[in-house]
C-alpha cells in the first residue's frame, strides 16, 4: 500500500473567506500576529501496489480535473514512503 | 410544433421541476433528461437546474461534470445547442469549462436567500433576447457559493465583449467580482446565472414574473434561427 497525498489550495489571488474567519477566531483565542490563514483540502489516496510513472500521471490528471479546479485552485502531489 | 427543452436531473437537483414548469409556461415542451443516460433525446435546448448535484461534495458542480449526460451536453453546447445553467447549473457550466471563471463561497460565508434586483446587460444571447438592455428585474436568489470570480484579464474580456448578461443591483449578495450575476459565451447560446428565473414565472409563487423572460427568449431565439416554426 502506498499513500499519495494531494493537497489543494485556493490560488493566492482568490479570496478565502473561511481562512479570514479563522484569523478572527485565532485572535480571540490569544494567538496574536497571525496575518493570514488559507484553508485548503488534503486527499490521501491509499493505493494498492507500487506507484509507477503511468499511475502517477493518471493521479496528476485526476488532481487537475476532479480534485481541484485549476481556475481557482493549485495542487501538489506527493508520494509517501 | 413547440420547441423541446430538456431539463437535466442529477442526484441532488432541487429546481428541476420548477424549470420544467417555467419551460411549459413559456410555451415550450419539456423533456426530462437523466444524468446517468448519455442521450439528449434530440432536444432543442437544455436547462441545468439549481440544487446540489451529487450533494455538491468536493466542489459545487465538480462531480456533475463527469456525469454521462454531460459529455453529450458539452459537445452539443460547443456545437451551438442553447444551454441555460441556473445556480448549481451555472457552477456545472464553469466546472465543465463551457463558461469562464468559477463560483466560490459567498464572501460573508452565509447562505443567502432573498429577492434580488438585477440589471440586464445583454439582450443578444439566446436566453436574454426578449429583455431590454438596462431593464431591471426582480427574481429570487439563494446560494452559499455564488461569488463569481475570474482573473482580471477574463473579467476585462467579458466586459469588453459584452458577455455579462446581468449584474446585481443595490446590493452585491455574495462578493461576485464586478457585481456579475450571469454571463454568456461569445456565441450567445450558453448562459449561466446565479439567481433563479424559474422561481419568478407566476404571481402566485414568485415576487414577479420577470424570470419568464429567459424562457420566452429561448423560444424567440429558436424561431428567429429557424430551428422551430412560430
Amino acid at each position: 500500500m502506498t499513500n499519495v497525498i494531494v493537497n489543494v489550495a485556493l490560488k493566492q489571488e482568490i479570496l478565502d473567506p473561511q481562512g479570514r474567519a479563522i484569523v478572527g477566531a485565532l485572535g480571540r483565542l490569544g494567538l496574536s500576529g497571525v496575518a493570514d490563514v488559507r484553508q485548503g483540502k488534503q486527499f490521501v489516496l491509499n493505493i494498492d501496489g507500487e506507484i509507477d510513472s503511468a499511475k502517477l500521471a493518471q493521479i496528476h490528471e485526476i488532481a487537475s480535473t476532479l480534485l481541484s479546479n485549476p481556475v481557482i485552485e493549485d495542487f501538489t502531489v506527493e508520494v509517501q514512503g | 410544433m413547440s420547441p423541446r427543452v430538456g431539463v437535466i436531473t442529477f442526484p441532488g437537483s432541487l429546481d428541476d421541476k420548477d424549470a420544467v414548469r417555467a419551460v411549459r409556461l413559456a410555451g415550450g415542451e419539456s423533456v426530462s433528461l437523466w444524468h446517468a443516460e448519455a442521450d439528449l433525446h434530440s432536444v432543442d435546448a437544455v436547462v441545468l437546474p439549481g440544487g446540489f448535484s451529487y450533494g455538491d461534495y468536493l466542489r459545487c458542480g465538480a462531480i456533475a461534470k463527469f456525469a454521462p449526460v454531460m459529455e453529450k451536453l458539452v459537445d452539443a453546447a460547443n456545437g451551438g445547442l442553447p444551454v441555460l445553467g441556473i445556480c448549481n447549473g451555472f457552477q456545472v457550466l464553469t466546472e465543465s469549462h463551457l463558461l469562464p471563471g468559477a463560483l466560490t463561497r459567498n464572501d460573508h460565508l452565509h447562505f443567502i436567500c432573498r429577492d434580488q434586483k438585477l440589471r440586464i446587460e445583454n439582450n443578444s444571447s439566446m436566453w436574454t433576447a426578449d429583455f431590454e438592455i438596462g431593464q431591471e428585474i426582480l427574481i429570487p436568489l439563494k446560494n452559499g457559493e455564488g461569488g463569481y470570480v475570474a482573473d482580471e484579464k477574463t473579467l476585462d474580456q467579458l466586459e469588453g465583449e459584452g458577455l455579462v448578461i446581468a449584474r446585481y443591483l443595490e446590493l452585491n449578495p455574495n462578493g461576485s467580482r464586478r457585481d456579475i450575476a450571469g454571463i454568456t459565451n461569445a456565441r450567445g447560446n450558453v448562459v449561466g446565472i446565479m439567481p433563479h428565473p424559474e422561481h419568478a414565472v407566476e404571481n402566485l409563487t414568485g415576487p414577479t414574473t420577470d424570470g419568464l423572460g429567459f424562457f420566452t427568449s429561448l423560444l424567440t431565439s429558436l424561431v428567429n434561427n429557424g430551428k422551430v416554426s412560430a
Side-chain angles (χ1 to χ4, degrees):
Chain A
M1 288 292 215
T2 310
N3 279 345
V4 178
I5 316 283
V6 180
N7 280 306
V8 176
L10 280 175
K11 287 180 192 288
Q12 204 53 43
E13 63 269 25
I14 303 291
L15 179 73
D16 181 359
Q18 290 167 296
R20 207 174 47 190
I22 295 165
V23 170
L26 292 177
R28 290 191 296 277
L29 290 169
L31 182 64
S32 61
V34 180
D36 193 22
V37 171
R38 307 288 292 177
Q39 178 173 327
K41 290 178 212 164
Q42 184 178 72
F43 302 87
V44 181
L45 282 61
N46 188 231
I47 297 175
D48 283 333
E50 292 299 303
I51 307 294
D52 56 16
S53 59
K55 181 81 87 181
L56 198 58
Q58 222 178 351
I59 293 167
H60 271 269
E61 170 70 17
I62 293 292
S64 68
T65 52
L66 177 66
L67 300 181
S68 76
N69 176 353
V71 175
I72 49 169
E73 294 169 322
D74 294 320
F75 69 90
T76 59
V77 176
E78 180 199 337
V79 182
Q80 258 187 352
Chain B
M1 204 176 84
S2 54
R4 299 172 70 243
V5 182
V7 178
I8 296 179
T9 299
F10 298 98
S13 292
L14 293 181
D15 301 324
D16 43 343
K17 294 285 188 273
D18 284 42
V20 160
R21 191 165 175 76
V23 165
R24 285 187 194 146
L25 286 170
E29 179 193 339
S30 70
V31 177
S32 292
L33 301 176
W34 182 237
H35 72 111
E37 194 186 353
D39 190 346
L40 296 176
H41 294 275
S42 307
V43 292
D44 300 303
V46 167
V47 177
L48 289 167
F52 300 85
S53 56
Y54 295 90
D56 275 351
Y57 303 133
L58 189 58
R59 287 183 314 282
C60 302
I63 298 179
K65 76 175 162 181
F66 293 109
V69 74
M70 283 305 296
E71 196 180 322
K72 297 282 178 196
L73 185 70
V74 169
D75 286 347
N78 285 327
L81 184 80
V83 178
L84 174 66
I86 304 166
C87 194
N88 193 229
F90 188 8
Q91 293 162 339
V92 174
L93 288 176
T94 57
E95 280 283 343
S96 304
H97 307 300
L98 284 172
L99 291 173
L103 284 311
T104 58
R105 185 66 69 106
N106 294 349
D107 58 351
H108 46 73
L109 289 168
H110 300 285
F111 191 94
I112 189 160
C113 182
R114 68 193 302 267
D115 294 333
Q116 175 70 44
K117 199 182 267 191
L118 306 175
R119 186 175 58 237
I120 299 292
E121 302 275 12
N122 163 319
N123 66 354
S124 56
S125 89
M126 294 190 75
W127 298 90
T128 54
D130 282 355
F131 292 105
E132 303 288 331
I133 290 179
Q135 187 176 340
E136 296 184 7
I137 65 170
L138 183 73
I139 62 177
L141 168 92
K142 44 172 190 153
N143 68 67
E145 302 193 27
Y148 182 76
V149 298
D151 58 39
E152 288 298 318
K153 186 167 155 258
T154 304
L155 292 169
D156 288 343
Q157 194 180 351
L158 287 171
E159 306 262 16
E161 296 177 14
L163 302 180
V164 176
I165 60 137
R167 242 183 267 270
Y168 296 116
L169 270 189
E170 293 173 3
L171 176 148
N172 181 332
N174 46 31
S176 288
R177 303 298 306 278
R178 305 192 191 182
D179 301 331
I180 290 174
I183 58 173
T184 182
N185 62 349
R187 194 168 177 168
N189 62 309
V190 179
V191 164
I193 185 158
M194 196 32 70
H196 289 262
E198 83 286 16
H199 293 332
V201 295
E202 284 178 300
N203 283 321
L204 180 65
T205 53
T208 64
T209 56
D210 292 345
L212 203 54
F214 288 85
F215 300 92
T216 59
S217 291
L218 170 73
L219 271 59
T220 303
S221 303
L222 287 171
V223 169
N224 290 345
N225 290 359
K227 298 278 189 198
V228 294
S229 52

